[in-house]
Amino acid sequence: MIRNLTSHARRAVRTVADAVRATVAPAALVRSRADETAPDPADVYSPEEMPEPEVIEEAAADYAAAADRARSGDRGKRKARKVLDRLPAGRYGGWIVERVPSSRQTPDLELIRATYKRLGLGDVPMRTCAPSLRITAAPAAVIPFPAAHEPATAPLAA
């Protein structure tokens, strides 16, 4: 009974936290800024230090593959947690399910907003996060086809 109430309370707290995060940075605002680019960091390669194009392509491919594996892993963890979160603590075959207190903390934004309002300090100051590194495959080079009245070039005719 108590575990069930604790589980419901945890779920309610997560829901409230998600709502607060949605209020602070709504998805529409994030999407509207998605096409912007951030400036390069200060420690980018100088022209003399630039790695070979093959090294860059390999690193980009490795990064994209690792990001795909991470997303797949996150999806798998979410699916498994749907079952595991509802289990009471105990031993299940070769696995022990238990809940331990977290050492992580997060600011209580509602309380901070209320304090700022009570003291007349205006809006809570916010700062932007660090830019994200986004790696996408470049589209293949487009070879224009000749118009019907133009002669075909040698590579296209072959």
Side-chain angles (χ1 to χ4, degrees):
M1 175 75 174
I2 293 175
R3 286 187 182 134
N4 195 14
L5 289 174
T6 304
S7 174
H8 285 295
R10 247 189 237 118
R11 228 175 281 141
V13 168
R14 270 197 308 259
T15 302
V16 170
D18 290 345
V20 169
R21 278 192 293 275
T23 303
V24 172
L29 293 177
V30 174
R31 271 191 229 107
S32 68
R33 296 182 356 199
D35 293 335
E36 294 179 15
T37 58
D40 288 332
D43 62 343
V44 296
Y45 289 115
S46 69
E48 301 83 34
E49 299 173 313
M50 286 294 287
E52 295 298 317
E54 297 82 21
V55 172
I56 297 170
E57 287 181 356
E58 182 179 347
D62 290 348
Y63 183 91
D68 284 343
R69 287 191 304 273
R71 282 190 293 275
S72 177
D74 288 341
R75 283 190 299 271
K77 284 171 42 178
R78 280 193 301 271
K79 182 179 177 184
R81 289 220 37 183
K82 286 182 179 181
V83 173
L84 298 173
D85 279 346
R86 298 190 59 202
L87 289 175
R91 182 179 178 131
Y92 298 90
W95 299 96
I96 297 174
V97 175
E98 59 186 339
R99 287 160 183 84
V100 295
S102 174
S103 62
R104 294 187 325 184
Q105 293 183 331
T106 184
D108 184 342
L109 292 177
E110 288 303 312
L111 186 59
I112 293 170
R113 281 193 190 96
T115 302
Y116 266 63
K117 186 174 184 177
R118 181 173 39 84
L119 297 175
L121 297 174
D123 292 333
V124 175
M126 303 296 281
R127 63 185 173 108
T128 58
C129 298
S132 298
L133 180 64
R134 182 175 26 186
I135 304 296
T136 52
V142 177
I143 300 173
F145 285 98
H149 63 279
E150 295 177 358
T153 61
L156 291 177

